[in-house]
Each structure stands twice: as C-alpha cells, then as structure tokens.
Amino acid sequence: DAGITQSPRYKITETGRQVTLMCHQTWSHSYMFWYRQDLGHGLRLIYYSAAADITDKGEVSDGYVVSRSKTENFPLTLESATRSQTSVYFCASSESWQWLNEQYFGPGTRLTVT
Amino acid sequence: GENVEQHPSTLSVQEGDSAVIKCTYSDSASNYFPWYKQELGKRPQLIIDIRSNVGEKKDQRIAVTLNKTAKHFSLHITETQPEDSAVYFCAAGQTSGGSNYKLTFGKGTLLTVNP
C-alpha cells in the first residue's frame, strides 16, 4: 500500500480556484485511475491512463483535467472548483491491461470547496 | 457504457450469520468481476475477484458466484465477524485492454455485523 501516495490528504479551497491533486506510484504500473467517492454514488471514474501521454475520460470528467508525462505520476486538476466537486478523491494503479488485475488505491484526498 | 446495480444498500446481520450482496451488470462484454472492501476512513481493497470462465470462487469465508446468462454476480460471506463490518463494492470490467480497460463500480453495500 505504501507504493501509491496522494497529496494533499486534505484540502479546503474556494469556488473558482484551480486545485491540483497529486498521485504518485512506485510500482511502475502502466494503468492509473482517478475516482471520486460521494455518499450514495459509490466510486465514479473521472479519468484513466493506459501509459505515459495516454489518457481517457471516465463517466464524470467535466471540470477536470489530467496529465501523465511520467509513468509514476498522474495529477488531477480542477480548473475552476465548484461546490459540487466537494468529494473524496482516490487515485489507483494497476499493473497490466492484458489480464485485468487488482487496482491498488491510494489513501484518498478529502477536498472541500467553499 | 456499463451499468452496475448493487443490492442491498445496507445490510445488518448477527455475528455468525451469513451475508449475501448481489450485483447486476448490463454489458455482456464484461468478463472481470472484482469485489472491494472499504473500512471506515480507509481505502478500498480487493477481497476477491472472478472471471467469466469461472462460475464460483471461494477464499475461506468468502465466495463469489457468477451467472453470465442472467448478468448477475453475488458475494457470500459466511460466519460473519464484527471485523467484516465495512462497505463492499462490486465492479465489472473487460480484459480487452486499451480504452476498455476500466472498472464500473456499484454504489456499495454497508454491512454491519452485530456482536
């Protein structure tokens, strides 16, 4: 579990501000994912990435931007934060696309937009 | 896209009883079905998974069954213990890689095991 980390763990920001959540993994996993978790909605996929410089939208990607210039990092940016983006954000990584493997989750970032 | 329905949303059992959580999925191309457990304030962790070429899989007190014809799969926990109390998520995905390499999660079941 120590192989995937997120920062910050807690963040309070104001509506309209840009916020970047960081995710770093030390396993050299190919796939990385961003989810948001809200009560009553479970885990919803925001973006995912198959490798460096390859990203795809998930089901709730509006208002978010990602990049993946290095295999180990997958930052998520809220371009102009809104109250509806208050949530717990989880990053995850997985080893291989050839045989779906376990997704390892980071500890999460609790974001509050005021 | 894939849609995963999970029931019940909450489940309360007495210690030692069995618990069953059921999920249905919509995309017949899905062939990988993991279950994750999330304790309060913690990250989700995989507890068991099943692939479409298998109908049932067991790991100690936990078992998962899959009915591909009906597009549903279930988690069975026997001899429940207080430490089984958590939120359980089912998920469905495809092993074809590329842009299809993603999981769709159910909304979760809060399991409470009463001593």
Side-chain angles (χ1 to χ4, degrees), chain A residues 99, chain B residues 25 29-33 50-55 66 68 95:
Chain A
W99 193 241
Chain B
Y25 62 99
S30 290
N31 57 6
Y32 175 66
F33 308 93
I50 192 168
R51 303 179 193 274
S52 60
N53 58 342
V54 175
L66 171 65
K68 285 220 71 177
T95 56

Side-chain angles (χ1 to χ4, degrees), chain B residues 38-105:
Chain B
Q38 185 179 27
E39 297 177 355
L40 186 62
K42 301 290 183 64
R43 71 191 79 187
Q45 291 189 300
L46 180 73
I47 55 171
I48 195 167
D49 58 11
I50 192 168
R51 303 179 193 274
S52 60
N53 58 342
V54 175
E56 183 177 4
K57 184 177 180 180
K58 290 183 179 180
D59 183 3
Q60 299 182 341
R61 297 185 297 107
I62 294 173
V64 58
T65 58
L66 171 65
N67 184 327
K68 285 220 71 177
T69 302
K71 293 184 193 169
H72 67 71
F73 56 111
S74 300
L75 177 71
H76 305 253
I77 305 174
T78 59
E79 301 174 11
T80 54
Q81 301 168 4
E83 52 265 39
D84 294 329
S85 296
V87 177
Y88 292 81
F89 293 98
C90 64
Q94 298 179 31
T95 56
S96 57
S99 61
N100 288 325
Y101 185 69
K102 58 184 177 180
L103 293 175
T104 300
F105 284 84

